[in-house]
Amino acid sequence: MRYDVVVVGAGIAGPIVARNVAKAGYSVLMIDKKWAIGTPKQCAEGISIKVFEKYDIPYDKRFINREVYGAKLYSPSGYELELRYKEVSGVILERKVFDKMLAYYAAKAGADVLARTEALDVIRKDGKVVGIKAKHEDEPIEIYADVIVAADGVESTIARKAGINTYAPPHEFDSSYEYEMLIEGFDPDLIHLWFGNEIAPRGYVWVFPKDEDRANVGIGINADNPKTAKYYLDKWLKENKIPAKKLLEINVGLVPVGGFVKELVKDNVLVVGDAARQVNPMHGGGMAEAMEAGTIASKWIVKALEEENLSLLQNYTKEWWETDGKRLEKVLKVRKVTEKLTDEDLDLFIQVLSGADTEKIASGDYTEVIKALLKHPKVLLSPRRIKLLKELL
Amino acid sequence: MPEKIKIVVNEDRCYLCGGCAGVCPTLAIEVHSSGWEFIQDKCISCRICISACPVGALSEEPLEVKA
Ligand SMILES: Cc1cc2nc3c(=O)[nH]c(=O)nc-3n(C[C@H](O)[C@H](O)[C@H](O)COP(=O)(O)OP(=O)(O)OC[C@H]3O[C@@H](n4cnc5c(N)ncnc54)[C@H](O)[C@@H]3O)c2cc1C
Ligand code: SF4
Ligand code: SF4
């Protein structure tokens, strides 16, 4: 079979690319190895309210479990910082439905979609990648295309087989484990995050509410940690006397939190989303980032096909690095500072901030927040803390 | 010569999440919708996959060297 574009992976990045390219009138095939697109989920399902308008996605109640109004942060000794907005700030999705609907929008726009179709390798001719060798159920298929999009998530095998270096060291990944479970006692209008080196090394424990009494309860820790994410989550639940007796799902996965791929394009092959390590390294959210990268990538794919000049694809690398890449590099810097914080630092900072101007924090004015922290006596007396905070300015 | 190992999966624990395939520097692990696969020839015995697995489904065994 032959298409203008083949997209490997129907998570978030893949369907955005497939939809946009199909809308422009080009033939697209999107494949996914899952036999039901979206299932199983590997996600806490939280996303900013802004993405729906920005990426032209319908605000369809079928994949929105709950609207949330902000976040509550907990320090190791239990200091709390609540950031509550008047308006809805984000939603907790139902990714099984969301991913499938994104693929549906791509199909409606003209793309072909094949579930249970696994890309096994690239096809090369005269040293050039000309397509994808795949398997639909047990039937081998060869898909020839002018442009190949690797949107195959954290595994990122297709880009690597095409010669794009997507390797990142293990420290640049979070290892994650999550229960979708019944849980009580947490304000279901907020997401809840617990920090601490004993609680979740380098990461955090989260409760993302899907109902008044149902939530995604999970954890992310550094992937080079000798203990498992499961160990830390079960320990946290036990220590907090939260019964884990009503488990509806168990979700597992690794999240890239750094190591953004430098060269996002090689000849006619592009890499997007988790496969390109395009995730927010601070909180491990990657859906919005996958949408953004998919949008930039599809813009240049359409241009390259229109002008019959595949070298225009290189502009995707350039534009991504000048925009979202630049932003994420800054976030990575913050992650690298915060991972040096001791539990006492975390206690102090959250304690100080909870008495500070939370309006400013909620509006994302971090410079003001850091300046406020720098004035605190316990910070002023510690050259180490001053140094850490100044790295953030 | 540094000791060569074989990576083995506990299928009853593995969720086929693909994480180990993602961190493996040499594509020595492939995760298919129908199962987990280890490709001995590509493995460089770095053990990155073992600590990265969120549920501890991977372990190592010494690789018997053929005489
Ligand atoms: C536990 C956990 C919690 C998370 N929570 C959040 C959150 O709350 N908010 C947020 O924004 N992000 C979150 N993330 C991150 C988010 O899930 C990802 O960043 C996002 O899904 C990336 O989208 P993607 O399209 O790049 O990849 P994916 O969504 O992973 O999609 C990749 C697709 O490719 C398919 N595929 C892989 N290999 C092949 C192949 N060889 N052939 C065919 N198909 C293939 C897979 O089956 C998959 O469907 C979380 C991640 C984890 C693990
Ligand atoms: S990381 Fe663990 S759970 Fe995930 S596929 Fe590998 S062995 Fe299985
Ligand atoms: S030990 Fe290293 S090379 Fe071998 S499978 Fe694990 S991650 Fe890959």
Side-chain angles (χ1 to χ4, degrees):
Chain A
M1 47 183 96
R2 226 220 103 78
Y3 286 87
D4 295 324
V5 180
V6 59
V7 177
V8 178
I12 303 290
I16 296 285
V17 174
R19 180 198 65 180
N20 294 359
V21 172
K23 256 191 199 158
Y26 294 97
S27 66
V28 188
L29 171 64
M30 177 168 70
I31 62 170
D32 200 293
K33 68 178 175 180
K34 289 179 175 172
W35 49 66
I37 288 173
T39 303
K41 81 170 196 272
Q42 296 173 264
C43 194
E45 308 179 294
I47 195 161
S48 155
I49 190 80
K50 293 183 191 141
V51 300
F52 297 94
E53 211 189 306
K54 193 167 177 197
Y55 302 107
D56 191 21
I57 298 166
Y59 197 70
D60 189 327
K61 294 283 178 201
R62 280 176 292 183
F63 48 67
I64 292 164
N65 278 296
R66 204 174 169 85
E67 298 177 331
V68 291
Y69 292 83
K72 195 163 171 180
L73 280 50
Y74 303 80
S75 82
S77 310
Y79 295 104
E80 299 175 0
L81 172 62
E82 190 177 293
L83 307 167
R84 193 188 292 266
Y85 303 84
K86 288 188 192 77
E87 311 282 324
V88 172
S89 61
V91 299
I92 311 302
L93 294 166
E94 185 66 28
R95 273 216 50 191
K96 277 179 241 167
V97 182
F98 187 62
D99 289 20
K100 198 194 288 184
M101 292 297 275
L102 290 184
Y104 166 61
Y105 304 143
K108 264 166 82 92
D112 285 350
V113 178
L114 268 185
R116 207 174 186 185
T117 304
E118 181 177 335
L120 303 170
D121 207 343
V122 296
I123 307 172
R124 281 177 198 274
K125 205 177 156 211
D126 306 324
K128 223 187 122 238
V129 176
V130 293
I132 292 287
K133 198 180 291 169
K135 195 174 71 176
H136 174 67
E137 297 175 336
D138 62 348
E139 175 199 341
I141 53 174
E142 292 193 338
I143 308 153
Y144 291 89
D146 295 330
V147 177
I148 289 109
V149 180
D152 52 346
V154 71
E155 291 167 60
S156 194
T157 50
I158 289 309
R160 284 194 274 175
K161 286 181 175 172
I164 300 180
N165 180 12
T166 68
Y167 174 76
H171 192 64
E172 305 302 315
F173 289 86
D174 270 359
S175 181
S176 291
Y177 187 76
E178 173 181 88
Y179 297 120
E180 183 174 326
M181 60 186 266
L182 274 70
I183 187 168
E184 283 177 358
F186 299 102
D187 185 338
D189 292 333
L190 301 173
I191 59 166
H192 302 263
L193 312 171
W194 286 261
F195 298 90
N197 293 299
E198 302 297 321
I199 294 168
R202 216 272 298 282
Y204 56 92
V205 166
W206 66 77
V207 169
F208 282 18
K210 295 182 80 165
D211 248 322
E212 300 267 329
D213 55 357
R214 176 171 66 108
N216 288 324
V217 181
I219 192 168
I221 63 166
N222 55 315
D224 50 355
N225 192 294
K227 292 214 175 74
T228 64
K230 176 180 167 62
Y231 163 83
Y232 278 103
L233 183 64
D234 287 341
K235 177 162 97 66
W236 182 82
L237 287 167
K238 208 165 164 196
E239 285 172 3
N240 288 280
K241 301 190 177 59
I242 299 170
K245 283 190 188 166
K246 296 173 196 284
L247 307 182
L248 308 176
E249 281 193 23
I250 297 170
N251 308 123
V252 174
L254 290 198
V255 191
V257 288
F260 319 119
V261 171
K262 291 273 171 312
E263 299 293 337
L264 298 165
V265 181
K266 184 161 196 256
D267 302 326
N268 56 341
V269 183
L270 298 83
V271 61
V272 282
D274 275 17
R277 318 310 185 194
Q278 290 159 324
V279 177
N280 182 311
M282 196 59 202
H283 56 56
M287 284 191 279
E289 284 70 14
M291 290 171 188
E292 180 64 22
T295 303
I296 302 173
S298 53
K299 183 176 96 186
W300 290 108
I301 293 169
V302 170
K303 276 236 168 72
L305 291 172
E306 272 171 5
E307 298 186 19
E308 296 181 23
N309 177 4
L310 290 182
S311 70
L312 289 176
L313 294 173
Q314 292 295 340
N315 288 303
Y316 159 50
T317 298
K318 189 163 175 279
E319 182 174 341
W320 187 83
W321 272 104
E322 281 170 2
T323 55
D324 226 26
K326 203 165 173 190
R327 177 181 71 90
L328 292 177
E329 279 285 351
K330 282 191 196 140
V331 180
L332 178 59
K333 220 173 97 184
V334 179
R335 191 212 88 195
K336 285 187 173 156
V337 171
T338 53
E339 68 183 87
K340 288 185 218 152
L341 298 179
T342 64
D343 280 3
E344 293 71 40
D345 294 337
L346 288 165
D347 277 335
L348 175 67
F349 291 175
I350 289 186
Q351 190 189 3
V352 174
L353 291 180
S354 60
D357 191 346
T358 40
E359 289 265 310
K360 278 212 173 101
I361 309 173
S363 71
D365 193 347
Y366 298 111
T367 334
E368 287 305 311
V369 173
I370 292 159
K371 281 185 185 155
L373 281 173
L374 276 166
K375 286 193 193 124
H376 193 272
K378 279 195 181 158
V379 175
L380 281 174
L381 288 173
S382 159
R384 185 184 56 84
R385 283 177 179 152
I386 293 177
K387 188 169 165 282
L388 281 174
L389 286 169
K390 285 205 167 148
E391 280 176 43
L392 293 175
L393 281 174
Chain B
M1 219 180 79
E3 181 207 4
K4 286 279 271 176
I5 55 165
K6 173 177 159 192
I7 302 296
V8 289
V9 69
N10 178 342
E11 280 168 3
D12 293 329
R13 261 194 215 175
C14 172
Y15 285 85
L16 299 177
C17 76
C20 49
V23 288
C24 174
T26 59
L27 297 170
I29 296 173
E30 289 190 1
V31 179
H32 314 287
S33 48
S34 50
W36 185 95
E37 188 188 347
F38 176 61
I39 303 151
Q40 182 71 63
D41 287 351
K42 294 187 182 170
C43 177
I44 54 167
S45 308
C46 69
R47 298 174 172 81
I48 287 173
C49 54
I50 299 178
S51 38
C53 174
V55 292
L58 298 180
S59 55
E60 66 180 75
E61 278 177 7
L63 186 67
E64 315 97 66
V65 194
K66 285 182 215 102

